[in-house]
Amino acid sequence: MIKIKSVTVIGAGTMGRQISLQIARHGFSVVLFDADSAALTDAGLAQERIVADWVAAGLEAENASSAILGNLRYETELSFAIRAADLVIEVVPERLELKRRVFRQIDGLAHEGAIIASNSSSIRVSALEDATERPQQVANLHFYLPVWDNPMVEIGGGSSTRDDVLDALSAFARAIGLLPLRVRGESTGFILNRVWRAIKKEVMKVADSGVATVEDIDRAWMIKFGSKQPPPFAQMDRIGLDVIYDIEMRYAEESGDPDDLPRPILTEKLERGELGLKTGRGFYNYPNPAYLADDFLMSDQAE
């Protein structure tokens, strides 16, 4: 049986820092790699704040911080980051050629038995596996933000991924407090994102065509399904509109259907540099977005 003891996460953005922290929280040694030292510094500070919040909320013991943070190491040199890893998780932007380039680099540096996994939210494993000499050890390991509030991970293979690799990833998911959801057949978007993709595509079409405002679509969603989770446009802001764009382009490139291309309501935001929460402006303005206001659901005024 494959044993995963040490892990490296490639990419220190929001998802990478959350994945690595979830792993460290459950006692595994984890290296967070990014070529940008400033990104690693930001990631480390963010992780410290998150752990402090857990302690303050009683979710972790007072003395837990040093143990959790002590499981983390930060590296800007790829060879040092992955040479001892049993599992390398790629968390870079949703662009196929970029991911393939990263996979080639990982493959040339990781030890022979290492598993290479992508956190891709849409790209099929078979589009990545032949960038390596170990396609049988390539898989998808897709997490959801915030990782600790969405305790699940989708696990899928490609054309030749070994069963014991998928079994090892399932066991690893459970060991870090997440439910493994097995993707039984190759699928662009895997499981939940196939459903989510249909939702986000349609709400953007409804808003883009002038049928309803962004705010009224989100109000309808919140009233019908509850307001504990952000509604569709707010959710896209949290993910990042640049990330949403890359994913939509992936679907369009695969289908060849012009109707799958990103809608103007999205592309115009990108042209203005409005990427959502991370830039302070997207479909909503931050840090105080309208959808969180007490009177949002009963207001008929656009933001």
Side-chain angles (χ1 to χ4, degrees):
M1 178 180 290
I2 299 171
K3 292 288 187 182
I4 296 173
K5 296 180 180 179
S6 59
V7 184
T8 295
V9 176
I10 306 296
T14 301
M15 181 64 86
R17 64 186 63 171
Q18 287 201 12
I19 292 171
S20 57
L21 185 56
Q22 178 76 8
I23 295 169
R25 187 182 191 183
H26 287 81
F28 286 83
S29 172
V30 56
V31 178
L32 181 59
F33 166 84
D34 201 293
D36 183 350
S37 60
L40 286 177
T41 298
D42 289 345
L45 292 172
Q47 290 170 330
E48 289 176 10
R49 289 192 296 268
I50 292 166
V51 175
D53 288 343
W54 288 341
V55 172
L59 300 174
E60 291 289 348
E62 288 285 344
N63 60 352
S65 293
S66 58
I68 294 172
L69 296 173
N71 288 329
L72 285 156
R73 183 164 62 87
Y74 306 94
E75 276 289 352
T76 57
E77 177 58 50
L78 188 61
S79 61
F80 293 156
I82 68 176
R83 60 186 176 186
D86 302 312
L87 168 63
V88 182
I89 306 172
E90 163 272 309
V91 192
V92 302
E94 200 76 353
R95 296 194 289 274
L96 178 58
E97 284 310 312
L98 172 61
K99 287 182 181 291
R100 286 179 60 84
R101 185 165 67 250
V102 170
F103 264 56
R104 282 192 291 271
Q105 292 174 320
I106 295 169
D107 186 51
L109 295 169
H111 70 73
E112 182 179 353
I115 297 169
I116 306 176
S118 174
N119 179 60
S120 173
S121 58
S122 64
I123 297 173
R124 296 172 183 237
V125 178
S126 59
L128 298 169
E129 62 188 13
D130 66 349
T132 78
E133 298 296 325
R134 62 182 88 195
Q136 72 281 3
Q137 291 160 230
V138 175
N140 182 258
L141 195 61
H142 179 232
F143 299 77
Y144 285 88
L145 292 172
V147 173
W148 32 87
D149 292 336
N150 293 282
M152 59 182 174
V153 60
E154 294 172 338
I155 299 171
S159 66
S160 57
T161 309
R162 296 198 316 260
D163 287 342
D164 64 335
V165 168
L166 298 175
D167 290 343
L169 291 174
S170 293
F172 173 71
R174 291 190 182 280
I176 60 171
L178 304 178
L179 175 68
L181 302 174
R182 188 69 70 90
V183 182
R184 304 286 174 176
E186 280 214 278
S187 164
T188 300
F190 311 110
I191 304 172
L192 184 58
N193 269 352
R194 289 246 334 232
V195 178
W196 164 235
R197 194 277 165 134
I199 292 168
K200 69 177 186 282
K201 177 183 176 181
E202 197 60 28
V203 298
M204 284 192 282
K205 287 178 71 172
V206 170
D208 201 49
S209 62
V211 171
T213 65
V214 165
E215 293 79 13
D216 277 353
I217 294 168
D218 276 359
R219 287 187 184 98
W221 183 277
M222 293 168 75
I223 291 170
K224 176 63 177 176
F225 298 110
S227 56
K228 288 188 177 180
Q229 293 291 328
F233 285 100
Q235 189 72 261
M236 285 188 271
D237 273 353
R238 290 181 63 173
I239 294 168
L241 302 189
D242 53 339
V243 177
I244 297 295
Y245 175 85
D246 287 342
I247 293 170
E248 294 304 293
M249 283 301 298
R250 180 62 189 165
Y251 283 107
E253 289 164 0
E254 184 171 291
S255 72
D257 185 349
D259 189 55
D260 284 337
L261 287 167
R263 307 294 297 188
I265 193 172
L266 177 63
T267 58
E268 289 168 6
K269 293 284 185 187
L270 266 64
E271 288 168 1
R272 294 194 294 268
E274 298 173 3
L275 307 183
L277 178 61
K278 59 189 169 186
T279 61
R281 182 181 289 270
F283 291 115
Y284 293 94
N285 295 332
Y286 298 86
N288 300 304
Y291 76 90
L292 291 179
D294 291 339
D295 62 349
F296 179 71
L297 294 184
M298 303 312 294
S299 170
D300 61 1
Q301 301 297 312
E303 185 181 29

